[in-house]
Amino acid sequence: MTAKTPYDPSEDGAQMRFDGRMSYGDYLSLDKILTAQAPLSKADDELLFIIQHQTSELWMKLALHELASAKAHIASGNVQPAFKLLTRVARIFEQLNSAWDVLRTMTPSDYTTFRAALGQSSGFQSFQYRAIEFMAGNKNAAMMRPHEHVPEVHGWLEGIRQETSLYDEAIRLLARSGFEISDAMLNRDVSEPYAADETVRAAWIEVYRDPARYWTLYELAEKLVDFEDYFRRWRFNHVTTVERVIGFKRGTGGTSGVVYLRRMLEVVLFPELWDLRADL
C-alpha cells in the first residue's frame, strides 16, 4: 500500500515563515500571556488557580469595555447598538460561570497545599470586578480602600464611581422619552449606591404594560435584566465554589468568606425591573 504524502499547507498558500512578519503569537503577545503564571508553591493545582483568575480578569476587561460602550450609546439616545453589547456582556458572564466548573475540580485537600502562598491576596481585591459593580450602579465607597496603595487604580475607580452608571443612563432615557421621573432621582448624587425610586418603578411598569408602544425601552429593560441574571449566577457559583473548597473558613483577604459572599447575593442592581413583575 502506497503511503500518502503528508499534507503541506504551504501548497495551498498558507504562510509558513514569519521572519520579520507578524505571526499569531506576535499579535496576541503570547510571550507575555503564557509567561505570566508564576506559582509560588510546588502544588499541581496552583497553576489551575492562577489561570482561572487570570482568564476571569481578561473576560472582565472585555465586559468593562462593552458596558462603557453600551452606556455611551444609551446616553446619546442611540439605543439599538447597546442591545448587542449588553447581550455580549451577559454571554461573558455565562463564560465566567462555566469557568467555576473547572475550578471546582480542585478539592479542599488540593487547595490547602498552596493556600498559604497566597498571603492576603483575594478575589475580593479585584479592581475590575469592583469597576463592573460601580458601572452597573452598586457603588460602595468602602470598597475603594483595598486599592488605596495603587493611586492609578484608586483614581480610575473613583472616576467610575463619580460618573453616571449604566442604570442611571437608562433612567435618564426614560425621562427623555416623556416619563415623569422625580427631580430627586434625576439630580441625585450618582457616586452613591442606587436606591429604588417609585417614579422609576411606575415608568417601567408602563413600559411593560404596553411593549409594542415602548419597544425600544422594553427591549433595553430585558437586556439589563438578562445581564443581571447572569451576573447573579456568577456570584452564586462563586459562593458555592468557595463553600465547596474551604467551607466557612475566613477568606485569604480577611473577609468572612462564604458569609460575606452570601451577603453579596442580596445586592440587586436594577431593583425596579425585578419588582415590577409582581405588578403585571
Side-chain angles (χ1 to χ4, degrees):
M1 185 174 182
T2 304
K4 289 185 178 180
T5 302
Y7 170 62
D8 183 353
S10 66
E11 294 177 357
D12 289 334
Q15 299 295 316
M16 305 295 280
R17 290 186 173 84
F18 295 91
D19 46 317
R21 292 185 291 175
M22 183 170 63
S23 70
Y24 174 82
D26 296 331
Y27 177 70
L28 295 178
S29 298
L30 291 182
D31 55 334
K32 296 178 182 178
I33 294 173
L34 299 179
T35 56
Q37 297 76 43
L40 299 176
S41 74
K42 295 182 179 179
D44 289 339
D45 283 47
E46 190 178 359
L47 184 61
L48 160 64
F49 190 82
I50 291 171
I51 290 176
Q52 153 79 16
H53 289 82
Q54 286 182 340
T55 53
S56 293
E57 291 292 336
L58 285 172
W59 282 118
M60 287 184 196
K61 181 176 182 177
L62 180 58
L64 283 166
H65 175 75
E66 306 297 1
L67 285 171
S69 295
K71 189 182 91 165
H73 280 299
I74 295 167
S76 70
N78 185 27
V79 185
Q80 294 287 340
F83 298 157
K84 175 183 177 180
L85 299 171
L86 291 172
T87 297
R88 183 175 294 164
V89 173
R91 298 303 170 263
I92 288 169
F93 274 92
E94 183 177 23
Q95 183 74 25
L96 286 167
N97 271 315
S98 298
W100 290 122
D101 294 336
V102 182
L103 192 63
R104 278 196 284 263
T105 63
M106 182 178 66
T107 68
S109 298
D110 296 330
Y111 186 46
T112 57
T113 60
F114 67 89
R115 190 181 192 224
L118 303 180
Q120 292 183 314
S121 64
S122 167
F124 168 76
Q125 300 146 14
S126 168
F127 60 84
Q128 290 200 122
Y129 172 77
R130 200 62 58 204
I132 290 172
E133 284 204 318
F134 284 6
M135 198 171 286
N138 181 28
K139 300 178 179 182
N140 182 349
M143 298 303 187
M144 297 283 294
R145 293 203 296 271
H147 310 290
E148 288 175 347
H149 66 296
V150 186
E152 295 82 2
V153 169
H154 188 270
W156 176 67
L157 279 175
E158 180 62 17
I160 295 173
R161 194 173 76 89
Q162 294 293 335
E163 294 174 355
T164 55
S165 70
L166 178 71
Y167 197 43
D168 286 326
E169 292 300 343
I171 291 169
R172 292 183 179 192
L173 179 63
L174 284 173
R176 294 197 303 272
S177 300
F179 292 93
E180 293 186 10
I181 305 298
S182 68
D183 289 338
M185 172 55 61
L186 293 175
N187 298 310
R188 75 181 192 88
D189 182 352
V190 296
S191 69
E192 293 297 317
Y194 180 80
D197 177 84
E198 190 55 41
T199 61
V200 174
R201 178 187 174 111
W204 284 126
I205 287 174
E206 187 174 342
V207 168
Y208 271 77
R209 283 181 174 158
D210 195 352
R213 181 179 177 185
Y214 303 112
W215 185 258
T216 298
L217 291 168
Y218 177 71
E219 190 167 3
L220 173 60
E222 282 298 290
K223 294 299 182 185
L224 291 171
V225 170
D226 198 34
F227 158 48
E228 184 167 2
D229 189 351
Y230 280 98
F231 188 57
R232 284 184 179 185
R233 295 185 209 184
W234 184 85
R235 288 193 296 205
F236 178 78
N237 277 315
H238 190 184
V239 173
T240 55
T241 301
V242 170
E243 185 172 357
R244 176 169 177 163
V245 176
I246 68 168
F248 285 84
K249 292 178 183 176
R250 281 200 167 271
T252 48
T255 69
S256 54
V258 169
V259 175
Y260 163 76
L261 293 172
R262 284 182 176 175
R263 183 176 297 169
M264 294 303 100
L265 292 178
E266 298 172 1
V267 175
V268 181
L269 299 176
F270 316 129
E272 296 89 352
L273 294 178
W274 295 92
D275 292 345
L276 67 83
R277 280 148 168 79
D279 297 314
L280 296 178

